[in-house]
């Protein structure tokens, strides 16, 4: 935090100039990250979900199978954490791919705390 110096003066001021020093926060916030979530349903084949996880999230077969099973058992799982733009792209890719194959698979994103 560096000090910010304000000179309070002017021709309308009658007597002494006043120096006000306030602390200024260095306001460089890191951009938020977004969790990409995969949701369970009763119809999408397990092998299709595994394929999606390999294809769009760069997981190997064992990792993809494990996450698919977590979604199947728990209802949902985080499949990755990305910038807003990358997360949006992943969600769109999965939703489009599922729609083209006529599976009801749902993928969504959520801001990380
Ligand atoms: N529940 C599905 C089934 O039994 C498999 C499945 C897993 C579907 C994960 C969606 O995100 C999902 N065929």
């Amino acid at each position: 935090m560096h000090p910010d110096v304000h000179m309070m003066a002017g021709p309308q001021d009658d007597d002494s100039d006043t120096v006000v020093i306030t602390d200024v926060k260095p306001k460089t916030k890191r951009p938020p990250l977004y969790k990409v979530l995969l949701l369970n349903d009763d119809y999408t084949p397990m092998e299709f979900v595994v394929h999606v996880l390999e294809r769009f999230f760069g997981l190997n077969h064992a990792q993809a199978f494990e996450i698919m099973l977590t979604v199947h058992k728990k209802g949902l799982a985080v499949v990755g954490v990305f910038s807003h733009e990358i997360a949006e792209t992943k969600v769109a890719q999965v939703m489009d791919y599922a729609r083209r194959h006529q599976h009801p698979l749902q993928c969504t994103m959520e801001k990380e705390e």
Side-chain angles (χ1 to χ4, degrees):
M1 256 168 262
H2 63 85
D4 200 21
V5 181
H6 305 271
M7 284 291 294
M8 308 285 282
Q12 79 282 13
D13 274 354
D14 24 27
D15 42 21
S16 66
D17 288 353
T18 304
V19 176
V20 178
I21 299 174
T22 55
D23 278 344
V24 176
K25 264 196 190 148
K27 195 188 170 183
T28 50
K29 280 194 290 192
R30 287 173 290 103
L33 292 173
Y34 291 78
K35 298 182 283 192
V36 170
L37 306 158
L38 205 59
L39 277 54
N40 189 37
D41 66 74
D42 292 339
Y43 305 104
T44 305
M46 289 186 175
E47 274 311 320
F48 182 81
V49 178
V50 171
H51 175 71
V52 161
L53 292 170
E54 292 172 338
R55 184 179 180 115
F56 298 114
F57 296 92
L59 303 179
N60 67 37
H61 194 78
Q63 295 169 328
F65 198 92
E66 194 173 297
I67 292 184
M68 179 282 296
L69 264 193
T70 301
V71 177
H72 177 69
K73 288 192 257 189
K74 309 261 187 189
L76 83 178
V78 175
V79 301
V81 177
F82 308 97
S83 69
H84 188 272
E85 188 174 355
I86 300 292
E88 265 192 342
T89 301
K90 301 282 183 195
V91 169
Q93 285 173 333
V94 172
M95 293 298 283
D96 189 55
Y97 193 69
R99 184 192 52 74
R100 272 156 41 212
H101 290 82
Q102 303 190 12
H103 294 309
L105 182 63
Q106 295 293 306
C107 185
T108 185
M109 61 194 272
E110 177 181 294
K111 196 173 174 179
E112 237 191 12
E113 298 311 317

